[in-house]
Amino acid sequence: MMAEKYWLVKTEPSVYSIDDLRRDGETLWDRVRNHQAKLFLRDGMQPGDACFIYHSNAHPTGVVGVAVVMGVAVADPTQFEKGTDGFEPRATREAAVWWARRLKWKGRFAACVELAALRNEPKLAGMRLLARGNRLSVMPVEKFEFHCIEQMAKA
DNA sequence: GCCAACGTTGGC
DNA sequence: GCCAACGTTGGC
């Protein structure tokens, strides 16, 4: 399936890394607790879209691989888990507040495309990830940016 | 560990 | 609805 749109999701590798995704093959990308990121997960992503995996709070930080978006959005099950961080008292089974998507492992880059390298690439100057103050954990990536980073990974 | 930047909460 | 206080993210 040809990817229609391109995305990037952040994860702290000490919590869940690209290697965890490779081991699992597929995972539910849940625990996103920002409304803008939620809308991208729920309404923006479509099956077959390509998604970078980005390691944050890590050594090194950067883009480490690619996943594929699977299926439709599902209510994030962690919002119903009373007594946990993810619990969302406003959520009901009929009206979920937070949403998640299944992501399937596609590949891991031979080397992390580091944040500093992204910042040094003039073609990526407008990339949302690099915008001042950006903290989104799920965000769109332009097609040309996606291909540019894939090329950087091969270099 | 520090801290800049941003998001959320809650008093009014 | 405003906005100060607080919490979180995430690079360094």
Side-chain angles (χ1 to χ4, degrees), chain A residues 108 120 151:
Chain A
R108 189 205 150 108
N120 281 334
Q151 287 306 309

Side-chain angles (χ1 to χ4, degrees), chain A residues 1 7 26-29 40-49 67-75 99-104:
Chain A
M1 195 188 302
W7 304 94
E26 209 178 297
T27 197
L28 187 65
W29 208 263
F40 288 137
L41 271 181
R42 190 187 68 185
D43 305 334
M45 287 182 172
Q46 302 205 355
D49 286 355
V68 180
V69 174
M70 307 293 288
V72 298
V74 297
W99 294 79
R101 280 276 182 171
R102 294 204 75 78
L103 296 182
K104 185 171 76 175

Side-chain angles (χ1 to χ4, degrees), chain A residues 29-153:
Chain A
W29 208 263
D30 57 8
R31 302 184 182 280
V32 171
R33 291 294 183 273
N34 169 281
H35 287 288
Q36 203 176 353
K38 171 200 76 177
L39 292 175
F40 288 137
L41 271 181
R42 190 187 68 185
D43 305 334
M45 287 182 172
Q46 302 205 355
D49 286 355
C51 184
F52 280 142
I53 304 294
Y54 178 93
H55 280 176
S56 63
N57 266 318
H59 301 288
T61 83
V63 180
V64 290
V66 181
V68 180
V69 174
M70 307 293 288
V72 298
V74 297
D76 181 341
T78 66
Q79 74 195 301
F80 303 118
E81 294 172 358
K82 275 189 184 142
T84 69
D85 295 358
F87 182 63
E88 172 54 74
R90 293 169 289 195
T92 65
R93 297 283 173 182
E94 296 73 28
V97 175
W98 304 113
W99 294 79
R101 280 276 182 171
R102 294 204 75 78
L103 296 182
K104 185 171 76 175
W105 186 79
K106 182 169 182 195
R108 189 205 150 108
F109 293 154
C112 175
V113 180
E114 296 188 28
L115 179 60
L118 299 176
R119 290 201 185 282
N120 281 334
E121 173 49 63
K123 289 178 193 161
L124 301 178
M127 198 177 174
R128 190 167 189 154
L129 174 74
L130 306 179
R132 178 180 170 81
N134 174 62
R135 293 193 323 191
L136 276 178
S137 64
V138 179
M139 75 191 83
V141 174
E142 296 296 330
K143 185 174 185 176
F144 79 91
E145 295 167 342
F146 195 92
H147 291 314
C148 177
I149 292 168
E150 282 191 317
Q151 287 306 309
M152 292 169 77

